[in-house]
Amino acid sequence: MRFATFFPHLTGFRLDAIHRSDEQLTLTATPVRKAAACPLCHRRSRRVHSRYQRRVADLPLGGTPLTLVLHVRKFFCRNPRCPRRIFAERLPSLVAAGARRSRPLHTALERVAFTLGGEAGARLAIALGMPTTPDILLRLIRAAPLPAIGTPERVGVDDFALRKGRVYAGLVVDHDQRRPLDVLPDCTPATIADWLAAHPSICLVSRDRGTAIVDGVTRGAPQAVQVADRWHLLKNLGEALERLLVRQRTEWHDALLAEMPEKPANETMTPALWESDTSTKPRAPTARALQAAQERQARRERRVARYEEARRLSAVGWSLRAIAREMHLNRHTVHDYLTSDSAPILRPRTRRPSKLDPYRAYIQRRWEEGCHDAAVLLAELRQRGYTGGHSILRAHVAPWRRALPQSTLPSRRDHLIGCDAV
Ligand SMILES: [Zn+2]
């Protein structure tokens, strides 16, 4: 059976020797053709100048790393007009000029790198008999040629932050192939327009409503239909709805309360209802709540001052970028200031998830059953897998505890979190 049957990439070589050690397999081979072409003038030559050995790592054999030792030659170039006097023979089907990995091994490592990245890829490659390092795999990714852009027809253009609030680059995505096409160094109208003008096949561009992108698309692809993409439509709609609800928070809160049925006098109020039931049971604000309200008001005043300053600078001719730089603001914030009729209302802070979340219903049920001893509650929660501390639980039951009649409050015990002893 021929040597090339098992090693098709070594077609044109003669196998001289096989050497096996514990850690690797070495094949020694020699090219059988008589002549080689000069890489500069392409004239073939048979005049051998000298021979040397070239070591090339190849795909593993049965999980064992394989090294090829190739006896290759240098030739005299016979073309008197060629500046190259002596050249080394090329082995284009086996290994690139100057490379130390065979083409099949290079391809295999490149695929591993693109699939798994550096660290995980190197672990897998080594386990499969292809010694490498994470850095080598990352270099293979960077050196790989980019796929051709072709003639895209429907593309999306958007910016993304290299350094949030400071440096933005542009991204062009092919909607038909569902893959990124190109990265632009920035997202200025000129850059976008140049890129689009170089690809006249484009007939549709989806984009957000940023003026820079709109200008760039209008100038670079006047033939294209411009549409707002679905993500930005939903985002804009969500934000508009949120602003509306926040603006009318007082009104809909009052309306909800007006809709609530009258509570019978003897009905026991659940803790959850009690927490929201501010209309029927007003409570004097605590000092902490007062301080929080004052801080909120101060923040609101600072925001209004920033809003008015940004609009004043804009009115005297400052650009959006210049205002953002001068006031140390994100340019999206400045854009919001300049396009809204009043100082933006901040959305209420969303509550961060707590380790207590999965157990809220259980705690409420046990509390209503009369278990007001948080130490007992804590022990029960721990049995159910709760890994949080006692302070979260204490804060959670504190308003319920304040709602209890004074006579039922427990005598103080060190380990109690503020509940009746059971
Ligand atoms: Zn030559």
Side-chain angles (χ1 to χ4, degrees):
M1 193 168 284
R2 287 167 61 84
F3 172 49
T5 306
F6 296 103
F7 301 94
H9 55 299
L10 289 175
T11 301
F13 282 81
R14 182 188 69 228
L15 177 64
D16 297 329
I18 302 175
H19 179 258
R20 180 171 198 121
S21 71
D22 289 343
E23 291 173 356
Q24 73 163 9
L25 199 64
T26 307
L27 298 189
T28 307
T30 307
V32 291
R33 63 188 173 184
K34 295 273 190 294
C38 168
L40 229 58
C41 67
H42 305 295
R43 182 156 172 182
R44 296 178 70 76
S45 167
R46 288 171 169 252
R47 280 190 64 203
V48 175
H49 168 270
S50 56
R51 296 171 195 274
Y52 67 103
Q53 279 189 2
R54 190 169 166 192
R55 294 179 75 84
V56 175
D58 196 10
L59 281 175
L61 202 63
T64 306
L66 175 62
T67 302
L68 304 174
V69 177
L70 307 171
H71 289 288
V72 286
R73 298 157 290 183
K74 287 185 177 176
F75 289 85
F76 288 105
C77 180
R78 290 166 54 229
N79 181 354
R81 285 190 295 249
C82 180
R84 183 73 58 86
R85 307 304 311 150
I86 299 161
F87 64 89
E89 67 179 315
R90 302 292 199 257
L91 310 165
S93 62
L94 176 62
V95 58
R100 295 169 67 181
R101 280 183 289 271
S102 70
R103 288 192 191 277
L105 178 63
H106 182 97
T107 305
L109 287 176
E110 201 176 72
R111 285 184 184 161
V112 168
F114 272 109
T115 308
L116 292 174
E119 293 290 341
R123 284 199 297 275
L124 176 67
I126 292 167
L128 294 178
M130 300 182 282
T132 188
T133 67
D135 285 343
I136 289 175
L137 293 186
L138 294 183
R139 278 203 294 275
L140 289 181
I141 291 177
R142 291 194 193 100
L146 291 172
I149 289 179
T151 52
E153 294 183 354
R154 284 170 281 272
V155 299
V157 182
D158 204 352
D159 59 1
F160 68 96
L162 295 173
R163 286 185 65 199
K164 197 159 187 188
R166 291 171 183 272
V167 187
Y168 286 81
L171 180 68
V172 186
V173 176
D174 188 325
H175 284 317
D176 294 314
Q177 298 187 55
R178 294 177 168 271
R179 69 174 180 92
L181 274 186
D182 210 349
V183 175
L184 311 180
D186 55 55
C187 224
T188 58
T191 306
I192 295 170
D194 288 349
W195 193 95
L196 291 173
H199 299 88
S201 56
I202 291 169
C203 59
L204 182 142
V205 181
S206 76
R207 51 153 181 82
D208 67 7
R209 295 185 305 167
T211 49
I213 295 182
V214 175
D215 285 357
V217 175
T218 307
R219 276 160 46 189
Q223 78 284 3
V225 177
Q226 296 183 30
V227 296
D229 64 59
R230 185 167 47 187
W231 188 87
H232 278 105
L233 278 179
L234 286 176
K235 179 171 179 283
N236 291 344
L237 176 65
E239 286 174 354
L241 188 62
E242 198 173 353
R243 277 199 298 273
L244 176 75
L245 292 177
V246 168
R247 217 164 30 231
Q248 300 183 343
R249 188 165 35 179
T250 319
E251 286 90 332
W252 59 254
H253 188 248
D254 291 348
L256 270 179
L257 289 178
E259 288 291 314
M260 280 176 74
E262 284 293 316
K263 178 173 62 70
N266 59 352
E267 187 187 315
T268 315
M269 200 177 287
T270 66
L273 252 185
W274 195 92
E275 277 183 305
S276 63
D277 192 359
T278 51
S279 62
T280 53
K281 195 157 186 171
R283 219 175 352 156
T286 61
R288 200 169 155 187
L290 271 177
Q291 188 190 353
Q294 284 166 356
E295 285 169 3
R296 266 200 307 278
Q297 180 61 23
R299 281 198 298 272
R300 160 97 187 138
E301 283 166 7
R302 284 198 296 274
R303 202 159 56 242
V304 170
R306 277 200 303 272
Y307 165 79
E308 286 171 353
E309 175 67 6
R311 291 183 73 88
R312 187 187 66 76
L313 291 176
S314 174
V316 296
W318 285 51
S319 72
L320 189 149
R321 264 172 201 281
I323 298 172
R325 219 171 18 246
E326 171 73 14
M327 297 181 65
H328 305 290
L329 289 175
N330 184 310
R331 63 197 175 99
H332 293 299
T333 308
V334 178
H335 178 262
D336 285 348
Y337 284 174
L338 300 186
T339 52
S340 59
D341 300 331
S342 59
I345 297 167
L346 285 194
R347 70 189 70 176
R349 265 183 219 167
T350 47
R351 191 176 61 79
R352 286 162 60 187
S354 153
K355 285 183 177 175
L356 212 56
D357 286 345
Y359 309 99
R360 285 177 188 276
Y362 177 80
I363 299 166
Q364 183 168 337
R365 180 167 63 76
R366 292 290 291 130
W367 188 270
E368 286 166 4
E369 285 170 2
C371 175
H372 297 166
D373 187 334
V376 174
L377 272 176
L378 184 64
E380 291 180 5
L381 291 187
R382 289 256 157 86
Q383 282 178 355
R384 282 160 178 76
Y386 172 65
T387 55
H390 72 283
S391 54
I392 315 177
L393 180 60
R394 182 168 55 191
H396 183 65
V397 299
W400 302 350
R401 181 180 176 244
R402 283 197 296 271
L404 291 174
Q406 284 295 318
S407 59
T408 66
L409 281 179
S411 57
R412 195 89 186 152
R413 270 188 4 216
D414 282 345
H415 71 280
L416 284 188
I417 309 179
C419 312
D420 284 340
V422 180

